[in-house]
Amino acid sequence: MTPQHSSTPARPRRPAATYRLQLRPEFPFAAAGAAVPYLAGLGVTHLHLSPVLEAVPGSAHGYDVTDHTRVREELGGEAGLRALAGTARRHGLGLVLDIVPNHMAVPSPLRLNRPLWELLRTGPGSPYARWFDIDWPAGGGQVLLPVLPGPLEECAPRVRDGVLVCGDREFPLREGTAGLPLPELLARQWYRPACWREARTSLNYRRFFTIAELIGVRVEDPEVFAATHAKVLELVRDGVAEGLRIDHVDGLADPEEYLRRLRTEVGDDCWVVVEKILADEERLPASWAASVAGTTGYDALRRLDGVFTDPEGAAELAREYQEFTGSADWEATAADCARTVLTVDLAAELAALGRLAGAELQDAVAELLIAYPVYRPYPGGPGPSAQTLARAGARVPAAALDAVRVLLRQDAAFAARFAQTSAALRAKSLEDRAFYRYAPLLSATEVGGDPGRPAVSVAEFHAYCERIERDWPATGTVLSTHDTKRSADVRARIAALSQDPAAMGRPAGADPQLAWVARQTALGLGEAPDREPRLAEALLKAVREAGLHTSWTAPDEAYEEQVGAHVPAAAELPAHLAEAARVTMLGLALLHLTMPGVPEVYQGCETDCRTLVDPDNRRPFRFPAQAPDAPTGPTGPGGPTGPGGPAEEKRTLTAAVLRLRRDRPELFTGYAPLTAKGPAADHLVAYARGAGGAAGPGGADGPGGAAGPGGAAGPGGPDDAAGPGGAAGPGLVVVATRLSYRLAVAGGWRTTTLPLPPGDWSPLLGPADVRHRGEVTVAELLRTAPVTVLLRRPSDGG
């Protein structure tokens, strides 16, 4: 990294905690800069920015990149980004950039994407032909451009000012064709403008999922990598960016080689994480460890949500849901969605694989894709498991499957395209279809989740944390993101239903599936600001994604008109479950901020933040100028309802832990589960951290870095990690209540105790004179709050 000015507070090489900001024209770099004092006071060390390169005009997300060489002017341009970095640096913060290597926009106007424009103008001989995955023979020598609202003839194609005009779209003309009669002119172009509906079956370029307006980029080509990463690498080398989030790494032909090349370019100090969805038993390839710190954290979200979900109640809800709606179980729903998405929505991708493998093997390719239990296989990784082969083999001959397996081992082009298609299939069939069709407990239908097994035991949670601390200690962890379908606080309220399924009731409405989804969504949102229009918008998206009665491509207007009628006039959790949701909200926040990894707080989520699926969760937030000690926080969709209450309780806890992470990173190393004893032991999640003494790995100047702004150590001073007689030991204990309503029904904590590590322990938040030692009763430990953080205090010889 670029050396910092001597007056700049020291920052860790890797973030202690990040804060995600969604940039857009209404929230540009200048607005982010104005929020810096608040966010620095909150305790994060890095701001994580959504994509900053030039994108489609007006884009609310920035993932539709049009120009890799320029910082987006609508956000303030490169000068604005560098000014934001300077403001952040003066407050002790660094920047993490979200980059999009997999795809670019097919924009309107098309000329905004110069590489694509030039390719379409000059054809396969263009220097830009290597940028994109195009199957020229499949299109008869032309690139299909499914961007028109209707058939070509209805769009009045004509030549004007040296370009082809079809409706409101413009296309480049191949040299020497401008004066030709229209039919011949169209036939001579290197592309064929077409109705958007043709993308399903005739598309001959790789795209992002099923979005034809996003064309895949071949960053595996060294020249393409260099051209598309030059500006980002410049920003890293200049110290503007200190970390990178890699969007949709599964879409790349060779993710491992890409990550190796990226690490070589950015050097050792840049923190890099990848957006990678891992199944429960799946592991990030160990060979990636030299290139990345880990994932963006959906695997952590799955465990966090799961440990606060009651398995018996979730099973009861599943039974009631299937009886009420007539729905199939999760496995059948997921398999049916995978088959439909592959053979309909991704028919063009399946046909491309068939051309590579041979038509006689296309069915076997399809069955293997449908049976794959993870997002994608990786080069050099294990092949299809016996279970996967058995599922696929139930429909196609074993010889055909064997032939496909040989291709996966020996044909690099086929293996890469198979893996890329697998990733698109999993994402579209699970996240964007099955999660909307199977809805017993909506809090479990989240990115990376397993709706068929929504609950995670305390032992599983501990095992996950121990593994992450051992293998990927700097991985990202999240609870809410720009892609989550419901914010963590909405999910906490829905998950509370697993503790008392009777509170779900029998929803009313003409469509049982929609009625169920509407009631749970309404209970999750509660009486949040602008409740009705936000609910209606989210429900309309839900029914279109589910594809049962209407869809994005074939909307049923009559059905969609009655969606709003399913929005409950009022839906609030009963008091006992509202309290259970509050306990879960605080427990989720505490575990997330203290478990192994680098936690990320999504914009506004330091308070009670209730947002639904995008665009609801991507709307701009207004940040206060004052320090976060004041009883307020950012406002926006589902923002805080006022000072005090759960919102302020959560923000106070979040700020206290974030500041502790920033100022005393040595407390957030190691991981040791603590086991309660007694009748309610299973309702407690507890662990110790900071094992190994006062300094983290590598000493005070190693990864984890020095103290943050102010430079001072936290409460108790730097010797707190020393136990009696100066022996090294844990310096931090985390305790959280789970399934609090079930706990209350069972009689409360009663005689349950928690053995603490040796030493004197005092709460991070609470009276300074409170001390605990040895084995403590949980009822006393959690007398004033359902969660606590304990710090080891210097021994006074007592």
Side-chain angles (χ1 to χ4, degrees):
M1 294 187 296
T2 299
Q4 304 300 328
H5 190 274
S6 59
S7 64
T8 302
R11 288 191 307 281
R13 291 182 181 178
R14 78 184 194 206
T18 64
Y19 192 100
R20 169 76 176 207
L21 292 173
Q22 285 297 112
L23 302 169
R24 53 192 294 164
E26 305 93 323
F27 191 86
F29 297 134
V36 163
Y38 168 83
L39 297 173
L42 189 64
V44 298
T45 60
H46 288 69
L47 303 185
H48 175 198
L49 306 180
S50 59
V52 302
L53 297 183
E54 200 64 74
V56 170
S59 174
H61 49 79
Y63 289 96
D64 42 6
V65 176
T66 58
D67 188 346
H68 292 93
T69 68
R70 300 173 63 225
V71 176
R72 190 174 176 187
E73 289 297 331
E74 286 182 302
L75 302 180
E78 186 165 342
L81 176 60
R82 289 180 179 270
L84 171 59
T87 299
R89 189 177 299 117
R90 287 191 295 274
H91 287 79
L93 303 182
L95 300 184
V96 175
L97 301 184
D98 190 345
I99 67 171
V100 191
N102 176 69
H103 52 267
M104 294 181 73
V106 181
S108 180
L110 189 59
R111 65 176 72 243
L112 291 175
N113 185 335
R114 181 174 174 271
L116 182 57
W117 179 271
E118 288 300 314
L119 167 68
L120 297 175
R121 186 177 68 83
T122 56
S126 167
Y128 291 107
R130 65 195 312 158
W131 278 53
F132 308 106
D133 276 321
I134 296 172
D135 187 342
W136 293 95
Q142 293 180 313
V143 180
L144 178 74
L145 290 180
V147 296
L148 302 180
L152 175 62
E153 60 272 15
E154 294 180 6
C155 296
R158 59 202 183 278
V159 174
R160 185 183 69 198
D161 300 329
V163 298
L164 175 65
V165 179
C166 301
D168 61 354
R169 304 293 293 247
E170 294 184 349
F171 306 89
L173 285 178
R174 181 176 178 179
E175 187 175 353
T177 63
L180 296 175
L182 186 62
E184 186 179 353
L185 179 144
L186 291 171
R188 291 284 305 279
Q189 301 311 311
W190 294 113
Y191 56 87
R192 180 170 70 86
C195 175
W196 61 271
R197 291 185 182 276
E198 288 197 47
R200 276 187 173 180
T201 55
S202 304
L203 194 71
N204 61 330
Y205 61 79
R206 183 173 64 86
R207 56 184 165 170
F208 173 70
F209 294 168
T210 58
I211 305 174
E213 292 80 10
L214 296 174
I215 185 170
V217 176
R218 298 184 65 251
V219 290
E220 63 270 23
D221 185 297
E223 291 186 20
V224 178
F225 177 93
T228 56
H229 286 68
K231 178 55 64 178
V232 167
L233 296 178
E234 176 191 329
L235 294 171
V236 171
R237 290 164 184 158
D238 287 352
V240 174
E242 299 178 358
L244 298 174
R245 171 201 184 266
I246 313 303
D247 182 66
H248 188 46
V249 73
D250 276 344
L252 307 183
D254 189 344
E256 184 169 340
E257 177 57 31
Y258 167 82
L259 294 171
R260 273 200 297 262
R261 181 177 290 129
L262 183 67
R263 175 56 68 190
T264 299
E265 295 292 339
V266 301
D268 294 337
D269 287 345
C270 186
W271 183 69
V272 179
V273 289
V274 293
E275 184 196 32
K276 173 77 183 92
I277 312 302
L278 297 169
D280 269 3
E281 300 306 318
E282 187 183 9
R283 302 290 182 263
L284 202 62
S287 55
W288 291 17
S291 302
V292 301
T295 73
T296 55
Y298 287 113
D299 43 317
L301 183 153
R302 153 85 175 122
R303 274 74 178 190
L304 286 162
D305 275 359
V307 82
F308 289 98
T309 300
D310 182 77
E312 294 181 6
E316 184 177 339
L317 282 168
R319 290 190 295 271
E320 293 178 2
Y321 167 78
Q322 288 176 247
E323 177 186 339
F324 182 69
T325 64
S327 170
D329 63 19
W330 166 245
E331 295 296 336
T333 300
D336 179 65
C337 288
R339 187 170 303 283
T340 301
V341 167
L342 181 61
T343 57
V344 178
D345 302 82
L346 294 174
E349 283 73 12
L350 180 58
L353 284 168
R355 289 191 292 272
L356 289 172
E360 71 279 6
L361 294 181
Q362 182 165 312
D363 288 346
V365 170
E367 293 305 325
L368 196 55
L369 282 168
I370 292 167
Y372 240 92
V374 298
Y375 270 59
R376 65 168 281 170
Y378 282 90
S385 68
Q387 187 178 15
T388 298
L389 291 172
R391 285 198 296 266
R395 289 177 173 265
V396 292
L401 279 179
D402 288 342
V404 174
R405 293 171 65 193
V406 170
L407 280 175
L408 286 172
R409 289 195 303 269
Q410 299 180 356
D411 187 327
F414 174 79
R417 185 55 66 90
F418 181 95
Q420 290 169 311
T421 303
S422 177
L425 174 60
R426 290 271 86 71
K428 293 304 297 181
S429 66
L430 294 181
E431 297 172 33
D432 295 343
R433 184 69 59 83
F435 281 6
Y436 287 97
R437 284 192 181 182
Y438 185 79
L441 189 65
L442 288 177
S443 58
T445 56
E446 195 49 84
V447 183
D450 182 356
R453 195 179 75 88
V456 169
S457 69
V458 175
E460 287 178 276
F461 177 80
H462 285 317
Y464 170 79
C465 289
E466 289 177 303
R467 177 170 57 81
I468 291 301
E469 176 63 17
R470 182 188 69 237
D471 298 337
W472 302 95
T475 189
T477 65
V478 294
L479 275 176
S480 300
T481 76
H482 61 288
D483 279 334
T484 45
K485 302 182 189 308
R486 298 157 196 90
S487 64
D489 295 336
V490 171
R491 299 199 307 274
R493 292 169 59 83
I494 295 173
L497 292 170
S498 70
Q499 299 184 55
D500 184 11
M504 177 66 195
R506 303 289 283 185
D511 179 349
Q513 165 78 9
L514 177 55
W516 186 282
V517 170
R519 175 156 174 80
Q520 280 203 6
T521 306
L523 288 171
L525 195 58
E527 299 303 321
D530 302 321
R531 173 183 174 275
E532 281 71 20
R534 292 168 58 206
L535 262 172
E537 185 177 32
L539 292 177
L540 180 59
K541 181 169 185 173
V543 296
R544 286 177 173 173
E545 295 283 19
L548 293 169
H549 304 287
T550 186
S551 68
W552 295 104
T553 56
D556 183 329
E557 293 183 4
Y559 177 83
E560 291 187 358
E561 285 178 0
Q562 56 88 43
V563 168
H566 285 76
V567 175
E572 188 56 66
L573 287 172
H576 67 284
L577 288 190
E579 172 59 16
R582 165 188 166 261
V583 174
T584 295
M585 178 179 76
L586 295 174
L588 280 169
L590 178 59
L591 297 191
H592 174 224
L593 295 176
T594 57
M595 69 186 289
V598 176
E600 174 158 288
V601 178
Y602 187 66
Q603 58 182 24
C605 289
E606 66 271 28
T607 70
D608 183 358
C609 181
R610 302 183 198 175
T611 57
L612 303 176
V613 70
D614 69 279
D616 189 58
N617 60 2
R618 300 184 184 184
R619 292 174 182 168
F621 277 73
R622 297 187 303 276
F623 290 88
Q626 68 268 39
D629 288 328
T632 187
T635 57
T641 56
E648 181 60 18
E649 195 175 17
K650 181 184 177 186
R651 194 191 59 76
T652 299
L653 175 67
T654 299
V657 177
L658 286 175
R659 291 166 184 170
L660 190 65
R661 287 192 71 100
R662 177 196 66 195
D663 297 342
R664 300 195 55 197
E666 78 279 357
L667 291 177
F668 296 88
T669 60
Y671 186 89
L674 299 178
T675 304
K677 302 176 181 178
D682 194 47
H683 289 276
L684 203 71
V685 183
Y687 48 84
R689 302 208 66 194
D701 295 325
D719 295 327
D720 287 359
L732 181 77
V733 165
V734 175
V735 183
T737 304
R738 64 186 292 263
L739 310 181
S740 62
Y741 176 65
R742 295 279 200 188
L743 170 67
V745 170
W749 294 114
R750 290 161 286 166
T751 59
T752 305
T753 60
L754 179 68
L756 296 175
D760 288 334
W761 298 89
S762 291
L764 173 65
L765 294 170
D769 60 347
V770 174
R771 295 202 177 196
H772 302 284
R773 175 184 281 271
E775 188 169 292
V776 296
T777 62
V778 175
E780 175 59 24
L781 187 64
L782 301 180
R783 181 174 56 85
T784 59
V787 301
T788 191
V789 178
L790 302 178
L791 294 176
R792 185 193 295 276
R793 301 297 182 179
S795 174
D796 56 7

